[in-house]
Amino acid sequence: MPAVPSAPTSELPPPATTSATSSPAFDPNEVTVIFVLGGPGAGKGTQCAKLVQDYGFVHLSAGDLLRAEQARAGSQFGAMIKEYITEGKIVPMEVTIKLLENAMRAAMSSEAGEAKEAGASSGVKGIPARRFLVDGFPRQMDQAVKFDETVCPSSLVLFLVCPEAILQERLLERGKTSGRDDDNAASIKKRFDTFIHTSMPVVDYYRKQGKVVDIDSAKSIDEVYEDIKRGIAPVVSSSS
Ligand code: UP5
Ligand code: MG
């Protein structure tokens, strides 16, 4: 296996705050963040798309942001991100957190964000976007601690639970057409290993804080979504 290089971070500015004693960039009373976690292929992206449609969440997929940065012409992180993703490893958090923070800021200041927050049918403008689904992040303890400290503590964690055999079948099927560097048998195995050893401690950490809602994502897409709607009800009603 090739050595994974450490990430140069000079191209991205440092996180907004770096001291453990300073405040997060976004006030959790004004911004609602839901983390959507689960193994590779658990249905995080599929379910987030449905929540965006019905609730006007802004959906931020850490994996999608990293793939976009990988594809961005001139990015100094492109080769490094590709190698980490193919190896199923976690990209150094400075890169991912900055991409997420930038995307949150862009959504909050954009017309698109305003329209989403207001709801597609109301047509009301001028309310900043403030409900975020953060999909596939945090997946390592250092990321969880840093994001909570410097960006915004989450209100809820949706944890999509599904047996590995089903996940593998879904990913291999998707791999026939997805073009993703990691939808192949070798990468999928590494992604599973990383999920168990590196990402599960994050779920346990939030479980101790009482934030985790477990969702059986082996069910059909619509059944999973019904369970998710019930799971987020307390947070959605209190932030609307
Ligand atoms: N499908 C979905 N739900 C279904 C259901 N209920 N029944 C039947 N089929 C269902 O779904 C996957 C497939 O399953 C699709 O074909 C779908 O139709 C079907 P999807 O919704 O895409 O699942 P998702 O959980 O989003 O799977 P994904 O592959 O995106 O999960 P990963 O967590 O592996 O990928 P992600 O893009 O988040 O991360 C990729 C890599 O980026 C990581 O491995 C890592 O290297 C890197 N990364 C970081 O380094 N840091 C980060 O913070 C985040 C990512
Ligand atoms: Mg996804």
Side-chain angles (χ1 to χ4, degrees), residues 7-234:
T9 52
S10 55
E11 201 175 75
L12 292 167
T17 55
T18 51
S19 157
T21 55
S22 50
S23 311
F26 301 98
D27 182 345
N29 294 316
E30 293 173 6
V31 171
T32 300
V33 171
I34 296 180
F35 291 143
V36 183
L37 303 180
K44 301 182 292 295
T46 301
Q47 297 298 329
C48 284
K50 293 174 83 68
L51 289 166
V52 167
Q53 286 257 307
D54 289 350
Y55 293 88
F57 279 101
V58 175
H59 173 207
L60 303 177
S61 159
D64 287 350
L65 289 168
L66 287 166
R67 284 183 285 275
E69 178 65 19
Q70 179 190 322
R72 186 172 66 82
S75 169
Q76 73 176 94
F77 302 112
M80 182 270 287
I81 291 171
K82 182 181 171 76
E83 186 167 3
Y84 272 80
I85 286 181
T86 305
E87 293 296 321
K89 288 182 178 294
I90 310 300
V91 172
M93 66 173 177
E94 289 78 7
V95 175
T96 314
I97 289 180
K98 200 65 212 172
L99 290 170
L100 283 168
E101 189 183 330
N102 288 348
M104 285 177 72
R105 281 194 199 288
M108 288 185 79
S109 62
S110 72
E111 280 292 305
E114 291 167 8
K116 277 180 189 156
E117 173 62 26
S121 57
S122 74
V124 179
K125 298 258 180 176
I127 307 167
R130 57 186 173 85
R131 281 182 186 161
F132 295 91
L133 295 168
V134 179
D135 159 0
F137 177 97
R139 54 212 296 158
Q140 185 164 301
M141 272 309 299
D142 61 347
Q143 294 179 330
V145 171
K146 197 71 174 175
F147 189 91
D148 287 352
E149 274 178 12
T150 66
V151 183
C152 187
S154 63
S155 302
L156 191 83
V157 179
L158 286 173
F159 179 44
L160 276 52
V161 184
C162 191
E164 189 173 315
I166 295 178
L167 299 181
Q168 183 176 34
E169 195 182 314
R170 288 181 187 172
L171 293 175
L172 288 174
E173 182 60 32
R174 187 181 65 184
K176 292 175 186 169
T177 54
S178 69
R180 274 179 53 161
D181 294 324
D182 57 352
D183 276 350
N184 57 75
S187 292
I188 289 168
K189 182 176 182 330
K190 292 172 184 170
R191 290 158 71 190
F192 284 146
D193 286 349
T194 301
F195 171 66
I196 297 298
H197 296 111
T198 309
S199 303
M200 275 308 295
V202 174
V203 177
D204 296 339
Y205 170 72
Y206 288 124
R207 195 180 295 286
K208 288 191 186 114
Q209 296 179 15
K211 288 183 175 177
V212 174
V213 175
D214 292 297
I215 302 288
D216 176 1
S217 73
K219 297 181 185 174
S220 75
I221 290 173
D222 288 341
E223 287 171 322
V224 174
Y225 188 53
E226 288 305 313
D227 291 345
I228 285 180
K229 282 198 285 189
R230 274 192 290 277
I232 65 166

